[in-house]
């Protein structure tokens, strides 16, 4: 293990900003932990249904502030895509080849997920599982795909939006919410915010790529301005405090994104910029550096399979013949929360098994081994990410 850490840390390109990669790793980790904490599968009368602890334990709402980190991923994604497109143009590359290279690694792991879950869903139906149970499990397993579709669409639009000021999509989100909530407009109009809402941190990322977000004052401005705006919207404008969807709630901040989710994303983006310096100092430690590199090599694999890992543990737990606390029980008290925390390392172990089985779909058949093989320098293409 020490040799692996040493080789991984030593062969990382000197010109690569691993602080940015660390932000991406934290964003992915936040989403995974958030899903594991606020998604409960409850077996009831032969049917498995998903229950959110946030609906029964509103005191857990601050957990959504900590673990809903998608804005940071779009921030980093915008920066990396803009830099990549600028470099491709400087080398005389075409848009078609650039886009194919950017999206290939996004969607290669998707093929494995769709294939496996097609087989699992068919097997469950043949075994007598109800449509409601199969639908619940399939929705959880495939829910990360919406994120990839939005991210891929914004990536494809990078040449057009690279110089778009974030205030324009922010203004669009504001107007959409005014029409929806203030003027009684149609609910479907909110789905415009799926693109416009995530375009705000993505545009911030492209501005960052042009060295427009370098000062700490900018970071503090985004953090404080976004936090104050979010607090005002929650306390006086009727937006929910939870930054994720809560079943049964009249309004979801995430499906589709609301103005509160976008302003919260601005605060997260500011915090990310302020964390960059400390992260870079922390990455001087070889073990931390190697961990960030290894996680980014398999970021999409971990993201796509983390829900499956949780469900696999839940299913195996049923073989004990009873309902295990924190795994199959209703999330209605502090005991459930404590028990769920105990299960998190087990979910991580199951995810490690999924990673070992499916990581080659993201890295290519030889990508991961080449990156760590003695005598082969790690190219930016190999360590790089979407």
């Amino acid at each position: 293990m020490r040799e692996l850490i040493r080789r991984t840390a030593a062969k990382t390109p000197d010109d690569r900003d691993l602080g940015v990669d660390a932000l991406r790793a934290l964003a992915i980790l936040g989403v995974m932990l958030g899903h594991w904490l606020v998604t409960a599968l409850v077996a009831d009368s032969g049917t498995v249904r998903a229950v959110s602890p946030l609906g029964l334990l509103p005191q857990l709402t601050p957990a959504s502030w900590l673990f809903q980190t998608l804005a940071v991923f779009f921030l980093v994604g915008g920066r990396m895509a803009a830099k990549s497109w600028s470099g491709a143009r400087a080398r005389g590359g075409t848009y078609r080849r650039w886009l194919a290279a950017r999206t290939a690694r996004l969607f290669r792991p998707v093929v494995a997920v769709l294939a496996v879950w097609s087989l699992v869903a068919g097997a469950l139906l043949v075994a007598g599982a109800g449509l409601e149970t199969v639908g619940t499990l399939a929705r959880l397993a495939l829910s990360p795909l919406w994120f990839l579709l939005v991210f891929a669409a914004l990536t494809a639009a990078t040449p057009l939006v690279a110089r778009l000021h974030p205030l324009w999509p922010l203004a669009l989100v504001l107007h959409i919410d005014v029409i929806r909530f203030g003027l009684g407009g149609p609910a479907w109009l909110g789905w415009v915010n799926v693109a416009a809402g995530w375009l705000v941190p993505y545009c911030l990322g492209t501005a960052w790529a042009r060295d427009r977000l370098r000062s700490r004052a900018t970071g503090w401005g985004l953090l404080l301005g976004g936090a104050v705006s979010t607090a005002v919207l929650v306390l006086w404008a009727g937006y929910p405090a939870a930054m994720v969807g809560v079943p049964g709630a009249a309004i979801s901040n995430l499906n589709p994104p609301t103005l509160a989710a976008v302003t919260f994303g601005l605060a997260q983006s500011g915090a990310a910029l302020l964390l960059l310096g400390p992260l870079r100092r922390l990455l001087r430690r070889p073990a931390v550096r190697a961990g960030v590199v290894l996680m980014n090599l398999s970021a999409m694999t971990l993201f796509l399979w983390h829900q499956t890992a949780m469900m696999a543990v839940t299913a195996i737990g049923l073989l004990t013949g009873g309902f295990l606390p924190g795994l199959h029980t209703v999330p209605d008290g502090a005991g459930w929360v404590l028990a769920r925390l105990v299960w998190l390392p087990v979910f991580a172990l199951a995810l490690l098994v999924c990673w070992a089985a499916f990581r080659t779909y993201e890295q290519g058949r030889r990508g991961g081994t080449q990156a760590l093989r003695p005598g082969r320098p790690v190219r930016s293409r190999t360590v790089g990410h979407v």
Side-chain angles (χ1 to χ4, degrees):
M1 178 60 72
R2 289 182 179 178
E3 179 63 14
L4 176 64
I5 291 174
R6 187 191 65 79
R7 282 191 281 135
T8 305
K11 293 180 181 296
T12 305
D14 292 334
D15 60 347
R16 185 166 186 86
D17 190 347
L18 283 182
V20 177
D21 287 340
L23 288 176
R24 186 194 345 253
L26 288 174
I28 291 291
L29 187 62
V31 171
M32 293 191 305
L33 290 175
H35 282 162
W36 287 348
L37 285 171
V38 302
T39 304
L41 289 173
V42 178
D44 184 16
S45 302
T47 299
V48 175
R49 55 190 176 91
V51 179
S52 172
L54 295 175
L56 300 172
L57 299 170
Q59 59 268 35
L60 287 181
T61 294
S64 70
W65 308 341
L66 183 62
F67 296 116
Q68 201 284 79
T69 50
L70 287 173
V72 177
F73 196 98
F74 280 99
L75 172 75
V76 173
R79 181 184 189 273
M80 299 300 289
K83 280 187 170 293
S84 175
W85 170 238
S86 178
R89 291 183 63 190
R91 295 188 299 270
T94 65
Y95 170 76
R96 183 176 179 180
R97 293 185 64 182
W98 172 81
L99 182 61
R102 297 296 296 176
T103 57
R105 193 170 171 193
L106 269 178
F107 290 109
R108 279 199 303 264
V110 172
V111 175
V113 173
L114 292 177
V116 169
W117 269 96
S118 295
L119 294 174
V120 169
L124 288 173
L125 290 173
V126 170
L131 286 176
E132 183 178 352
T133 294
V134 175
T136 295
L137 298 178
R139 281 193 297 272
L140 284 177
L142 302 181
S143 59
L145 296 184
W146 76 263
F147 159 82
L148 291 185
L149 291 175
V150 176
F151 190 82
L154 295 185
T155 299
T158 297
L160 296 177
V161 305
R163 296 186 179 276
L164 180 68
H165 198 285
L167 284 178
W168 289 108
L170 179 62
L172 178 58
V173 173
L174 170 63
H175 283 80
I176 292 294
D177 273 19
V178 168
I179 294 173
R180 289 173 62 202
F181 304 131
L183 303 179
W188 60 261
L189 193 61
W191 293 105
V192 174
N193 287 350
V194 173
W198 299 121
L199 190 55
V200 174
Y202 195 87
C203 286
L204 279 174
T206 63
W208 186 13
R210 302 193 306 272
D211 293 330
R212 298 291 180 88
L213 306 179
R214 299 179 62 181
S215 70
R216 290 185 62 82
T218 301
W220 280 110
L222 287 170
L223 174 59
L224 296 178
V228 170
S229 298
T230 305
V232 169
L233 291 171
V234 170
L235 294 175
W236 289 290
Y239 286 86
M243 289 300 138
V244 297
V246 179
I251 300 174
S252 167
N253 272 324
L254 200 56
N255 298 308
T258 63
L259 181 61
V262 174
T263 57
F264 181 74
L266 292 177
Q268 286 183 314
S269 298
L273 294 173
L274 295 172
L275 278 174
L276 198 57
L279 285 175
R280 285 168 177 160
R281 290 191 291 272
L282 187 61
L283 284 162
R284 294 170 187 168
R285 301 180 180 181
V288 178
R289 187 181 181 93
V292 167
V293 171
L294 290 173
M295 184 166 183
N296 275 269
L297 280 170
S298 302
M300 286 300 100
T301 301
L302 296 174
F303 179 72
L304 288 171
W305 288 97
H306 74 278
Q307 294 280 57
T308 299
M310 179 193 70
M311 288 185 282
V313 173
T314 304
I316 293 172
L318 289 173
L319 299 179
T320 62
F323 293 157
L324 301 176
L327 199 60
H328 310 111
T329 53
V330 177
D332 57 0
W336 183 93
V337 176
L338 294 176
R340 177 50 66 106
L341 292 175
V342 174
W343 283 109
L344 294 185
V346 185
F347 296 161
L349 182 60
L351 182 56
L352 184 61
V353 174
C354 294
W355 169 82
F358 299 106
R359 64 188 176 90
T360 55
Y361 289 91
E362 178 174 2
Q363 300 173 8
R365 289 294 175 183
R366 298 185 299 166
T369 56
Q370 284 180 340
L372 301 178
R373 188 176 300 163
R376 288 185 180 268
V378 177
R379 298 176 183 174
S380 178
R381 175 180 59 84
T382 303
V383 181
H385 329 284
V386 293

